[in-house]
Amino acid sequence: MIKPAEYQRRRRQLMRHAGDDSILIISAAPERVRSHDTHFPYRQDSDLWYLSGFNEPEAVLVLVPGRAAGEALLFCRERHPEREMWDGARLGPEGAVEQLGLDDAFDIADIDDILPGLMEGRNRVYYHFGRDPDFDLRLMGWLNRVRAKVRLGAHPPHEFLQLGHLLNEMRLFKSRDEIRLMRRAAEIAGEAHERAMRATRPGLHEYAIEAELLYGFRRHGAVPAYEPIVGGGSNACVLHYRANQAPLQDGDLLLIDAGAEWQGYASDITRSFPVNGRFSAAQRALYQVVLEAQQAAIDAARPGHSWEAPHAAAVEVLTEGLLAHGLLKGTLKRCIANGDYKRFYMHRTGHWLGLDVHDVGDYKIDGSPRLLEAGMVLTVEPGLYIAPDAKVAAKWRGIGIRIEDDVLVTGKGNEVLSPHAPKEVDEIEALMAG
Ligand code: GLY
Ligand code: MN
Ligand code: MN
């Protein structure tokens, strides 16, 4: 759990960066209709969650740095016994102040009356302009209410800034409590991967293995951080495969990319293993290349190294392996410089991880790749994908392999947050034989 004091610290830090003449406006994620009158599971906006821990729709957090009568304000739904009987409990403004350490809270129904007055006299508005067209319009309406009173001496804001500019940089560096939650998200997902591995055998369908993953998440109270990818055989070569419908064939590999979300924080883990529990010689050869590439990339994820270093390390080992096995021809240098390896490795080696699976945070600073620093969390996920119609020896065709772990950069090096599910060949074969 993130404690109210940490949310408070985050809000203070954000307000300090924004300055006393600003106002910051962060809206809750809307509920989304799945069909007719049923909704998708509710997922709070990551920024509102990061700054408050408030988990209801129809809410707006407003930060007004330096305001004597209170800086951190929440607009949210009033308590409503009848609605709560249908839809579940609401915190209500009083509850929000008590439980989330906010300075004040109001009924969301009153926001049109109150918010223009809070904007008045402030120079700058920080907000996610362009993310939600409906909310953009409401914001313009509040602004115009202030502008309409200029002749009465009102001072409307005149600078409009992207909130992400300040907030993303804060979110990139994880606190001790965030790391604890991310370790747990990875632990739950790792256990679910292991469960899925044990359950796999020829003749089952991909969805039956997906069910093992979902069971593994939900039994601990977690949810999927994204739709699991469960791809047997050449389905593993479809990078965003989500159909999960095909039967699993004896002799194929199975690629599973599945992460759990725990208290808002994502894990993102991929394992690839043989459906029948034994790697073929060709599968083992390429698997070993990907595993070595991943280790080289993890070793390169150190403070002071470029964010690109893990990718460069992975590309080098993968390309060496492709040359050694005759999938590429030429010299290592030329195959890397020409990008020949992209025939079989067409994505990057990782991304920031946090409240979002592809988490916020700049990858470049002034046009150059940024350096890794303690507290950043990134995935390391090299792979090799040999399309079923690739012009290579038949034994390689249709093999798709990715190995993905979540890595925290520490002061001295790094910590793999997701060591639970096995990935060594011998470990996988032993587990599946058991
Ligand atoms: N599961 C999405 C990714 O690996 O980036
Ligand atoms: Mn993934
Ligand atoms: Mn990933």
Side-chain angles (χ1 to χ4, degrees):
M1 273 281 283
I2 303 287
K3 296 179 199 71
E6 178 157 340
Y7 291 117
Q8 220 157 20
R9 190 164 50 69
R10 294 173 185 174
R11 294 193 293 261
R12 291 221 178 96
Q13 190 183 346
L14 179 61
M15 286 192 272
R16 201 167 51 242
H17 290 314
D20 265 359
D21 53 348
S22 65
I23 181 166
L24 304 96
I25 300 172
I26 303 103
S27 64
E31 282 203 281
R32 303 211 186 263
V33 172
R34 180 172 182 277
S35 95
H36 188 47
D37 57 355
T38 58
H39 293 94
F40 284 106
Y42 185 67
R43 169 56 158 75
Q44 185 54 280
D45 174 79
S46 295
D47 289 331
L48 189 87
W49 182 251
Y50 179 78
L51 292 169
S52 70
F54 187 69
N55 200 23
E56 295 176 31
E58 296 183 71
V60 180
L61 177 70
V62 181
L63 302 179
V64 203
R67 180 174 174 268
E71 297 181 302
L73 316 173
L74 185 74
F75 293 85
C76 64
R77 301 177 305 188
E78 271 291 2
R79 303 289 311 269
H80 190 306
E82 196 192 327
R83 287 269 28 117
E84 289 180 54
M85 199 174 73
W86 288 89
D87 299 331
R90 299 176 174 185
L91 208 47
E94 293 77 22
V97 170
E98 271 168 33
Q99 293 186 32
L100 306 176
L102 296 154
D103 295 324
D104 209 348
F106 309 96
D107 185 352
I108 187 75
D110 295 335
I111 194 167
D112 290 341
D113 296 330
I114 299 174
L115 197 48
L118 295 170
M119 293 170 92
E120 202 279 319
R122 301 267 151 180
N123 289 328
R124 292 196 300 279
V125 179
Y126 282 93
Y127 166 70
H128 286 302
F129 292 96
R131 186 185 280 186
D132 175 348
D134 294 335
F135 201 87
D136 288 353
L137 278 177
R138 295 183 67 194
L139 185 73
M140 287 306 139
W142 297 321
L143 185 62
N144 285 337
R145 293 264 294 275
V146 187
R147 285 174 176 159
K149 293 195 179 135
V150 167
R151 269 174 294 140
L152 304 174
H155 174 93
H158 57 270
E159 280 184 67
F160 303 92
L161 293 138
Q162 286 296 357
L163 176 63
H165 193 66
L166 300 181
L167 198 48
N168 296 354
E169 197 63 16
M170 284 173 58
R171 280 180 48 190
L172 179 56
F173 293 88
K174 275 67 181 177
S175 71
R176 190 193 296 257
D177 284 341
E178 289 182 292
I179 290 164
R180 214 171 275 145
L181 296 179
M182 293 190 73
R183 246 188 233 118
R184 180 69 183 139
E187 187 181 27
I188 293 170
E191 188 192 294
H193 272 268
E194 196 175 312
R195 170 182 293 276
M197 235 177 239
R198 282 186 205 283
T200 296
R201 58 178 185 275
L204 290 180
H205 285 74
E206 292 164 347
Y207 48 71
I209 306 307
E210 181 182 0
E212 299 288 338
L213 295 162
L214 298 178
Y215 177 72
F217 297 167
R218 289 302 292 146
R219 69 194 291 266
H220 293 299
V223 295
Y226 50 91
E227 284 185 88
I229 297 172
V230 184
S234 61
N235 290 339
C237 300
V238 181
L239 295 178
H240 292 161
Y241 180 74
R242 281 184 307 247
N244 300 354
Q245 292 288 350
L248 299 173
Q249 312 285 351
D250 201 349
D252 277 353
L253 289 179
L254 176 61
L255 181 152
I256 296 180
D257 183 344
E261 181 180 295
W262 173 244
Q263 297 192 16
Y265 287 85
S267 52
D268 183 3
I269 300 177
T270 306
R271 292 290 183 263
S272 308
F273 57 92
V275 167
N276 64 14
R278 301 280 302 174
F279 286 88
S280 73
Q283 290 165 349
R284 181 188 302 250
L286 291 192
Y287 187 89
Q288 217 51 54
V289 171
V290 177
L291 192 60
E292 278 162 30
Q294 199 214 21
Q295 196 51 56
I298 291 173
D299 292 344
R302 305 175 60 81
H305 283 198
S306 158
W307 128 261
E308 303 253 6
H311 183 61
V315 163
E316 180 163 338
V317 176
L318 292 172
T319 308
E320 268 171 3
L322 289 165
L323 284 164
H325 294 299
L327 284 135
L328 288 179
K329 303 226 176 314
T331 65
L332 179 65
K333 215 169 150 196
R334 283 185 69 87
C335 285
I336 293 177
N338 296 345
D340 295 345
Y341 64 88
K342 290 181 187 170
R343 269 175 73 200
F344 307 114
Y345 182 48
M346 53 299 276
H347 61 75
R348 304 283 306 178
T349 302
H351 49 84
W352 307 134
L353 183 72
L355 286 169
D356 294 313
V357 177
H358 294 170
D359 207 30
V360 295
D362 288 336
Y363 290 96
K364 289 189 169 175
I365 291 185
D366 298 331
S368 307
R370 79 186 298 161
L371 301 184
L372 295 171
E373 296 175 56
M376 296 174 168
V377 178
L378 66 159
T379 66
V380 177
E381 49 178 306
L384 285 176
Y385 312 91
I386 321 296
D389 59 355
K391 292 188 178 45
V392 296
K395 64 178 175 178
W396 308 118
R397 287 184 209 141
I399 294 181
I401 297 164
R402 175 163 67 256
I403 308 172
E404 175 172 29
D405 282 295
D406 305 341
V407 176
L408 165 70
V409 181
T410 61
K412 293 207 176 87
N414 65 55
E415 175 192 335
V416 176
L417 300 177
S418 53
H420 318 281
K423 60 181 177 183
E424 296 292 335
V425 166
D426 294 348
E427 286 173 351
I428 291 174
E429 292 190 341
L431 181 123
M432 295 187 72

